[in-house]
Amino acid sequence: MGGLRLAFLFGFANLVVATPVDIFHGYGRNDYWERRAELISDERSRELGSDIVLRDDELQANRAFMKLKLKELDDAFLDPSKFLPAHNFIAIKSKIETSEVFKILKDMPKGAMLHAHDFALVSWDYLFENVTYRKDLFMCDVNGRKQFKFFSYPDKECDWRLLSALRKNATSLANLNREIMEEITMKTDDPDKTYYEVDSAWEKCQRTFGTIIPMLSYRPVFEDFFYQALLEHYEDNILYIEFRAILTPLYDLDGEEYGPLDVVKIMKTVTERFVRDHPDFVGARVIYAPSRLVDNDQLLEYLTIAKNLTSTYPSFVAGFDLVGQEDKGKPLSYFANDLSKLSDGIKYFFHAGETDWYGTSTDQNVVDAVLLNTTRIGHGYALLKHPKILEIARKKDIPIEVNPISNQVLGFVRDLRNHPASMFFANGYPIVISNDDPGMWGAKGLSYDFYEAFIGIMSRDADLKALKKLAMNSINYSSMTETEKLKAFDIWERKWNAFIAYLNIRDNSL
Amino acid sequence: MGGLRLAFLFGFANLVVATPVDIFHGYGRNDYWERRAELISDERSRELGSDIVLRDDELQANRAFMKLKLKELDDAFLDPSKFLPAHNFIAIKSKIETSEVFKILKDMPKGAMLHAHDFALVSWDYLFENVTYRKDLFMCDVNGRKQFKFFSYPDKECDWRLLSALRKNATSLANLNREIMEEITMKTDDPDKTYYEVDSAWEKCQRTFGTIIPMLSYRPVFEDFFYQALLEHYEDNILYIEFRAILTPLYDLDGEEYGPLDVVKIMKTVTERFVRDHPDFVGARVIYAPSRLVDNDQLLEYLTIAKNLTSTYPSFVAGFDLVGQEDKGKPLSYFANDLSKLSDGIKYFFHAGETDWYGTSTDQNVVDAVLLNTTRIGHGYALLKHPKILEIARKKDIPIEVNPISNQVLGFVRDLRNHPASMFFANGYPIVISNDDPGMWGAKGLSYDFYEAFIGIMSRDADLKALKKLAMNSINYSSMTETEKLKAFDIWERKWNAFIAYLNIRDNSL
């Protein structure tokens, strides 16, 4: 095969970016270029999505789509200040929204979203504009920290004031609202500074959960909030979600409390209502995921609850996990004896290796996760340094739930080009992209994370093949039954084909 | 083998960091723990240095040394603001100097230093305190940028003023000196901001070279400067260096100019003098490395010079490379036809993959470097995303020259825990640690880079085995002849044993 033909096949023409010169000038058939093409072809064949064969209509759409991607990347290559994944998401979210690639990724049927946390599933706009404007919401200021809760009559534990009244009487409503926003989300003007350290970012994240949970645990709000969570993902072209929930008690204004079984029932009921309202949404499942900051006795209680939940709602409860900052909580090895003995019937979905600390107990959570037969690995940020565990993950087909924006905002990596998932993509490890806590940092649905992964983490050459693979992975690696998966694939494929058709129409009309 | 015994062997007791609890409490022999130990053992056996077997005296020294390392790491784990490799080196250099681990790394015989650039080999203190205070040095201010050159009588091309006179008459000497320092180095108060982008960091780096080269190209200064370069590395327990040189002309005050062959001869002579003065220093070699910002005709001229140099000074000229920011210069593929045909007799030491841009022409320089039979890979930052090239590097034993501080200061990575070399260490790829441009950012010798690698990039468990391996690698992968290598190993081993004895005496006296 001639060098020139190979060059065309492998897109050499695009390789010389900064200096667009014809590298074949004057040279014909040449061993060097054949060997080079073989090496590049070998590496491409390992990349995620390399097994996907695009149809003609997809190839056509791909060409138009890649033109947009390469323009965006090459502009940034010449002026790196335009390269958004190098900057904290909180600072450049609005710029992402102007990207043509992002707009298309929003339209793209992305399959399922498999890793996120209940109380951060919904955009901060809804949280602020809807929830904080509801009647009966009280606020209390304790040493500069705001607390929020719904009451008919506030308790005496705090100097509760009706938020609507506070807003009416505020000397500066803008200030008050800004303060509220910064209390119920991680919004800040200088995220690079505020969240420089993982620990300070995590502390703010945990504190924010502590602030919003009492507000969101009011049963009517919780139901609306959860419906909204499904809606925002649905509107972002997601057809199924799987999320971690700590299952803290809900409350009603009359003092009634709802325990884990009730909460799951409520979420299940809301999900069923949502699916009735949106028949092209397949559903949701919950992974019971209480805090890892506990002792063995507490863990045993958790496992008892988990068994109870899975036996009562087998089609809605997917399994068990532990949450909280891994570096500050107990490593999985601490719980391993109980977890390895008592797992019967319960599937694990462990957070593991969400850490920068190579060689620590936290770093080795990836070892325990695999030994404990985890169904998926949450984050797996540390897996890069664990060649054996990566081998096992590939062999046993254990997917890694990659959360680009979360890892950045929580301080693990600044420039997403340094995210370890680049290596997972390059080697075709099983990956799904998820959003972790979109409501914390201003994301909505999954498209922002897809954008960051596609532009910031994946190769310049990664295209619709890789994106299609990610969507298919998300359905394949979900906890849906085989029947549900077939249904999901059926819906997804229909939407995917419509998306391809739209891309082609769009391209022709430009 | 019982779980407990394995646990001891593999240091489980150290694994639980944040929560130091006994994970074996109440459990005896157990399949889980055996399998866990096997997995961890498997991963450790892949790590760089795992093939090194320490003697008893080394094991004793290692225990004392690791106590210091683990204390430093665990303190930082609890208070991450103390973790220095997460911060730009320019901002925390003085803090590194207070580290006990750093002090020991300074004393450690580190072998050879194989990747640095001629005009940045020497500490900024020498540059400022010695060179800028020499007689006949003139300064000229052009649009706020300072130029420096030695003259008997300054030329008319600029408004040259004698620097000693300027200093005498300065309204604020401190201000003038600060301005000079910031012009001749990359020193800045806020490196995170100033060098946020790779491009801005590179621009400043290149501009600084442009500023200091005319000053350092004055032959007497050049000779002293180069002697000082050898001395600073020698004093940092390095016994051989290999460096890239652009071989720009030197000048004398009487107008005489010295071309590439003269410059090499001068460096060779200085090296021989240095080795006479310091018989336990083995020597130095130069890699001719002109700018990659040229066309094919210019490259052919370079290669002619390279052949001339290697045939004239075969024991001093190691080979050929191209320098300059890869993203802005020509990719190797542009020159590949000439480089692949004309390499006879010239060894290549290509910079390749010093980029964050996955999938670009620059990223693929690692492919061409390997195809062009490079002897070593300079940086190879992008190799993480090139599984096939990594396979070849391992098979053909092509070492990767890792420059931790350079990659950080030049904006490729902020927190060094995200440096791709973590994965190279975890997989035992052939690595050497080098310093690239120590004079640019306030380093001196190689110990700072060893510190950053040891604390920031390598595993918490990495110990004297890995460090010994790095030192041995640096000698093995150098361009020394076999006889020179034997001599180098002989000197190094003697020093290494003295270092081990010192560590043991030091520990006993604490």
Side-chain angles (χ1 to χ4, degrees):
Chain A
M1 207 184 280
L4 203 57
R5 189 166 154 221
L6 269 170
F8 183 74
L9 274 175
F10 295 104
F12 284 166
N14 287 329
L15 298 185
V16 182
V17 181
T19 51
V21 291
D22 177 6
I23 55 175
F24 299 97
H25 173 73
Y27 309 102
R29 188 186 189 84
N30 186 309
D31 271 2
Y32 183 88
W33 299 105
E34 291 212 11
R35 272 155 52 221
R36 187 177 196 276
E38 276 164 28
L39 284 182
I40 291 173
S41 164
D42 179 309
E43 294 207 324
R44 296 232 173 128
S45 74
R46 300 170 190 229
E47 284 176 13
L48 185 108
S50 59
D51 55 338
I52 299 284
V53 180
L54 297 182
R55 302 178 310 252
D56 282 350
D57 59 330
E58 291 175 309
L59 285 171
Q60 186 194 336
N62 196 36
R63 279 190 293 273
F65 180 52
M66 287 302 281
K67 250 188 228 161
L68 295 173
K69 176 184 178 183
L70 296 189
K71 182 177 179 343
E72 194 164 326
L73 271 179
D74 295 347
D75 283 355
F77 187 83
L78 295 174
D79 175 6
S81 70
K82 290 183 182 163
F83 188 69
L84 304 179
H87 299 265
N88 192 298
F89 174 76
I90 294 175
I92 49 82
K93 158 183 150 62
S94 60
K95 286 187 186 168
I96 289 182
E97 287 157 5
T98 67
S99 151
E100 289 303 313
V101 172
F102 174 71
K103 289 174 195 165
I104 291 172
L105 289 172
K106 275 181 76 168
D107 288 329
M108 189 180 85
K110 288 170 283 292
M113 193 291 296
L114 301 182
H115 181 120
H117 297 274
D118 49 356
F119 290 109
L121 278 166
V122 169
S123 62
W124 65 22
D125 285 345
Y126 180 86
L127 193 61
F128 179 80
E129 286 163 19
N130 182 307
V131 179
T132 80
Y133 279 91
R134 295 216 176 192
K135 81 190 254 284
D136 300 327
L137 181 60
F138 285 73
M139 190 174 95
C140 171
D141 220 304
V142 187
N143 303 323
R145 278 199 51 198
K146 293 172 177 34
Q147 296 184 25
F148 303 86
K149 204 173 171 186
F150 288 90
F151 294 103
S152 313
Y153 303 98
D155 63 31
K156 302 290 178 203
E157 287 168 29
C158 204
D159 184 19
W160 293 108
R161 307 294 177 97
L162 202 59
L163 183 49
S164 57
L166 286 173
R167 277 194 165 116
K168 202 173 288 170
N169 302 323
T171 46
S172 164
L173 182 59
N175 272 355
L176 175 63
N177 279 337
R178 188 184 46 75
E179 284 171 25
I180 292 172
M181 192 65 177
E182 288 179 1
E183 201 81 56
I184 64 173
T185 70
M186 290 180 74
K187 194 170 189 176
T188 173
D189 286 338
D190 192 353
D192 270 340
K193 207 159 223 167
T194 315
Y195 306 134
Y196 193 101
E197 308 283 0
V198 167
D199 283 13
S200 51
W202 260 94
E203 197 187 303
K204 167 63 179 157
C205 183
Q206 310 259 42
R207 198 169 66 225
T208 305
F209 272 116
T211 304
I212 62 176
I213 287 175
M215 174 168 74
L216 296 175
S217 297
Y218 174 39
R219 181 185 164 149
V221 167
F222 183 81
E223 289 175 344
D224 290 356
F225 178 86
F226 186 64
Y227 192 95
Q228 177 71 15
L230 301 175
L231 185 65
E232 289 188 6
H233 284 81
Y234 172 76
E235 288 177 347
D236 195 42
N237 286 296
I238 300 290
L239 48 64
Y240 170 88
I241 74 168
E242 224 157 275
F243 60 97
R244 271 78 168 171
I246 48 174
L247 302 181
T248 44
L250 305 184
Y251 62 92
D252 262 340
L253 293 192
D254 60 9
E256 191 160 350
E257 281 221 351
Y258 303 87
L261 272 166
D262 305 315
V263 180
V264 168
K265 188 179 178 187
I266 289 166
M267 294 192 295
K268 186 169 177 289
T269 308
V270 171
T271 304
E272 285 159 359
R273 177 158 55 90
F274 187 88
V275 173
R276 274 197 307 278
D277 298 346
H278 307 85
D280 50 347
F281 190 80
V282 182
R285 265 182 182 73
V286 61
I287 294 161
Y288 175 43
S291 167
R292 65 190 322 123
L293 275 161
V294 298
D295 59 19
N296 280 302
D297 288 344
Q298 183 65 57
L299 179 82
L300 292 177
E301 282 180 42
Y302 285 159
L303 288 170
T304 306
I305 296 171
K307 276 181 210 173
N308 205 349
L309 292 171
T310 41
S311 62
T312 313
Y313 301 108
S315 69
F316 192 71
V317 178
F320 183 74
D321 185 11
L322 291 164
V323 300
Q325 187 181 359
E326 282 180 67
D327 288 329
K328 302 294 172 190
K330 303 276 200 324
L332 284 176
S333 57
Y334 176 81
F335 302 114
N337 276 298
D338 289 331
L339 292 170
S340 63
K341 283 175 196 155
L342 305 175
S343 76
D344 47 322
I346 305 174
K347 281 188 176 174
Y348 293 143
F349 296 82
F350 289 124
H351 277 72
E354 188 186 7
T355 183
D356 273 331
W357 293 101
Y358 180 18
T360 59
S361 60
T362 329
D363 179 65
Q364 294 191 321
N365 278 346
V366 295
V367 176
D368 292 287
V370 161
L371 278 172
L372 292 166
N373 284 320
T374 196
T375 298
R376 298 192 298 262
I377 295 172
H379 292 286
Y381 192 90
L383 279 170
L384 185 75
K385 301 151 194 162
H386 291 277
K388 180 67 185 174
I389 306 303
L390 277 174
E391 270 179 30
I392 296 174
R394 190 199 293 281
K395 204 170 149 194
K396 294 179 70 174
D397 205 20
I398 305 170
I400 310 161
E401 300 163 347
V402 174
N403 303 286
I405 299 174
S406 168
N407 295 154
Q408 184 189 57
V409 174
L410 291 177
F412 293 99
V413 62
R414 192 192 67 180
D415 184 334
L416 281 169
R417 286 174 295 184
N418 286 306
H419 194 289
S422 278
M423 184 271 209
F424 308 156
F425 279 109
N427 287 276
Y429 287 108
I431 296 181
V432 296
I433 298 291
S434 32
N435 59 16
D436 207 15
D437 298 307
M440 279 283 155
W441 36 74
K444 186 176 181 179
L446 188 53
S447 296
Y448 293 93
D449 283 279
F450 257 74
Y451 177 83
E452 298 277 17
F454 190 56
I455 298 290
I457 301 180
M458 296 157 80
S459 171
R460 183 174 182 275
D461 306 302
D463 59 8
L464 278 184
K465 289 200 298 297
L467 294 171
K468 191 175 182 183
K469 181 76 177 184
L470 283 172
M472 292 169 76
N473 272 357
S474 70
I475 297 172
N476 265 325
Y477 291 124
S478 75
S479 305
M480 285 187 263
T481 61
E482 289 309 306
T483 318
E484 285 171 312
K485 281 185 187 174
L486 283 177
K487 184 185 167 194
F489 270 117
D490 191 52
I491 295 171
W492 173 79
E493 203 170 0
R494 207 157 21 84
K495 293 192 180 225
W496 177 266
N497 292 340
F499 164 70
I500 295 296
Y502 156 76
L503 278 185
N504 286 329
I505 291 164
R506 183 184 183 282
D507 185 46
N508 287 333
S509 69
L510 283 182
Chain B
M1 205 185 279
L4 203 55
R5 189 167 153 222
L6 270 171
F8 183 75
L9 275 175
F10 296 103
F12 284 165
N14 288 329
L15 298 185
V16 180
V17 181
T19 53
V21 291
D22 176 8
I23 55 176
F24 299 98
H25 174 75
Y27 309 102
R29 189 184 187 83
N30 186 309
D31 271 1
Y32 183 87
W33 299 105
E34 291 210 12
R35 270 158 53 221
R36 187 177 196 276
E38 276 165 27
L39 285 183
I40 291 173
S41 164
D42 179 309
E43 295 207 326
R44 295 233 171 127
S45 72
R46 302 172 190 228
E47 285 175 12
L48 185 107
S50 59
D51 54 339
I52 299 285
V53 180
L54 296 182
R55 302 179 310 253
D56 283 350
D57 60 330
E58 291 175 309
L59 285 170
Q60 188 195 333
N62 196 37
R63 279 190 293 273
F65 180 53
M66 288 301 281
K67 250 187 227 159
L68 295 173
K69 176 183 177 182
L70 295 190
K71 182 178 179 337
E72 194 165 325
L73 270 179
D74 294 347
D75 284 355
F77 186 84
L78 294 174
D79 175 6
S81 70
K82 291 183 181 162
F83 187 70
L84 304 179
H87 299 265
N88 192 298
F89 174 76
I90 294 175
I92 50 82
K93 157 185 150 63
S94 60
K95 286 188 186 168
I96 289 182
E97 286 156 7
T98 67
S99 152
E100 289 302 313
V101 172
F102 174 70
K103 289 173 195 165
I104 292 172
L105 290 171
K106 274 181 77 168
D107 287 328
M108 189 180 86
K110 287 170 283 291
M113 193 290 296
L114 301 182
H115 182 119
H117 297 273
D118 49 357
F119 290 108
L121 278 166
V122 169
S123 62
W124 65 23
D125 286 344
Y126 180 87
L127 193 61
F128 179 79
E129 287 162 19
N130 182 306
V131 179
T132 78
Y133 278 90
R134 296 217 176 191
K135 77 190 258 282
D136 301 328
L137 182 60
F138 285 74
M139 191 174 95
C140 171
D141 219 304
V142 186
N143 303 323
R145 277 198 54 199
K146 293 172 178 31
Q147 297 184 24
F148 303 87
K149 204 174 171 187
F150 289 89
F151 293 102
S152 314
Y153 302 98
D155 63 30
K156 303 290 179 205
E157 286 169 30
C158 205
D159 183 19
W160 293 107
R161 306 296 176 98
L162 201 59
L163 182 48
S164 57
L166 286 174
R167 278 194 166 118
K168 204 174 286 172
N169 302 323
T171 46
S172 164
L173 182 59
N175 271 356
L176 176 61
N177 279 337
R178 187 183 47 73
E179 284 171 25
I180 292 173
M181 191 66 177
E182 289 179 2
E183 200 82 55
I184 64 174
T185 70
M186 290 179 73
K187 195 170 189 176
T188 173
D189 287 338
D190 192 352
D192 270 341
K193 207 161 224 165
T194 315
Y195 306 134
Y196 193 101
E197 308 284 0
V198 168
D199 283 12
S200 51
W202 261 94
E203 198 187 304
K204 167 64 180 154
C205 183
Q206 312 259 42
R207 198 170 65 225
T208 304
F209 273 116
T211 302
I212 61 175
I213 286 175
M215 172 167 76
L216 296 174
S217 297
Y218 174 38
R219 183 186 162 147
V221 167
F222 184 80
E223 289 175 342
D224 291 356
F225 179 86
F226 187 62
Y227 192 96
Q228 176 71 15
L230 300 176
L231 184 66
E232 289 188 5
H233 284 81
Y234 172 76
E235 288 178 346
D236 196 42
N237 286 295
I238 300 291
L239 48 63
Y240 170 88
I241 74 168
E242 225 157 274
F243 59 97
R244 270 79 169 171
I246 49 173
L247 302 181
T248 44
L250 305 184
Y251 62 92
D252 263 339
L253 293 192
D254 61 8
E256 191 159 350
E257 282 221 350
Y258 303 86
L261 272 167
D262 306 314
V263 180
V264 167
K265 189 181 177 186
I266 288 167
M267 293 192 294
K268 186 169 177 288
T269 308
V270 171
T271 303
E272 285 159 1
R273 177 157 55 89
F274 187 87
V275 171
R276 276 198 306 278
D277 298 346
H278 307 84
D280 52 344
F281 190 80
V282 182
R285 266 182 182 72
V286 61
I287 294 160
Y288 175 43
S291 167
R292 66 190 321 122
L293 275 160
V294 297
D295 58 20
N296 280 303
D297 289 343
Q298 183 65 58
L299 178 81
L300 292 177
E301 282 181 40
Y302 285 159
L303 287 170
T304 306
I305 296 171
K307 275 181 208 171
N308 205 348
L309 292 171
T310 42
S311 61
T312 313
Y313 301 108
S315 69
F316 192 71
V317 178
F320 183 76
D321 186 11
L322 290 164
V323 300
Q325 187 181 359
E326 282 180 66
D327 288 329
K328 302 294 173 190
K330 303 277 200 322
L332 284 176
S333 56
Y334 177 79
F335 303 114
N337 278 299
D338 289 330
L339 291 171
S340 64
K341 281 176 198 156
L342 304 174
S343 76
D344 47 322
I346 305 174
K347 281 187 176 174
Y348 293 142
F349 295 83
F350 288 123
H351 277 71
E354 187 186 7
T355 183
D356 273 332
W357 293 101
Y358 181 18
T360 59
S361 59
T362 329
D363 180 65
Q364 295 193 320
N365 278 345
V366 296
V367 176
D368 292 287
V370 161
L371 278 171
L372 293 166
N373 283 319
T374 197
T375 298
R376 299 193 297 263
I377 295 172
H379 293 285
Y381 193 91
L383 280 170
L384 185 76
K385 301 150 194 162
H386 291 277
K388 180 67 185 172
I389 305 302
L390 277 173
E391 271 178 30
I392 295 173
R394 191 199 292 282
K395 204 172 150 192
K396 294 179 69 175
D397 205 21
I398 305 170
I400 310 161
E401 301 163 346
V402 174
N403 304 287
I405 299 173
S406 169
N407 295 152
Q408 185 189 56
V409 174
L410 292 177
F412 293 99
V413 61
R414 193 191 67 180
D415 185 334
L416 280 169
R417 285 174 295 184
N418 285 307
H419 194 288
S422 278
M423 184 269 208
F424 307 157
F425 279 109
N427 288 276
Y429 286 109
I431 296 180
V432 295
I433 299 292
S434 32
N435 58 17
D436 207 15
D437 300 306
M440 278 284 153
W441 35 75
K444 186 177 181 177
L446 189 54
S447 296
Y448 293 92
D449 283 280
F450 258 74
Y451 176 84
E452 298 278 17
F454 190 56
I455 298 290
I457 301 179
M458 296 157 80
S459 171
R460 182 173 183 275
D461 305 303
D463 59 9
L464 279 184
K465 288 199 300 297
L467 294 171
K468 192 176 181 182
K469 182 75 178 184
L470 283 173
M472 293 169 74
N473 272 358
S474 70
I475 297 173
N476 265 326
Y477 292 123
S478 74
S479 304
M480 285 187 262
T481 62
E482 288 309 307
T483 317
E484 285 171 312
K485 281 185 188 174
L486 282 177
K487 184 185 166 192
F489 269 119
D490 191 53
I491 294 172
W492 173 79
E493 204 171 0
R494 208 157 20 85
K495 293 193 180 224
W496 177 265
N497 292 340
F499 165 70
I500 295 297
Y502 157 76
L503 279 184
N504 286 328
I505 291 164
R506 183 184 182 283
D507 186 44
N508 288 333
S509 69
L510 284 179

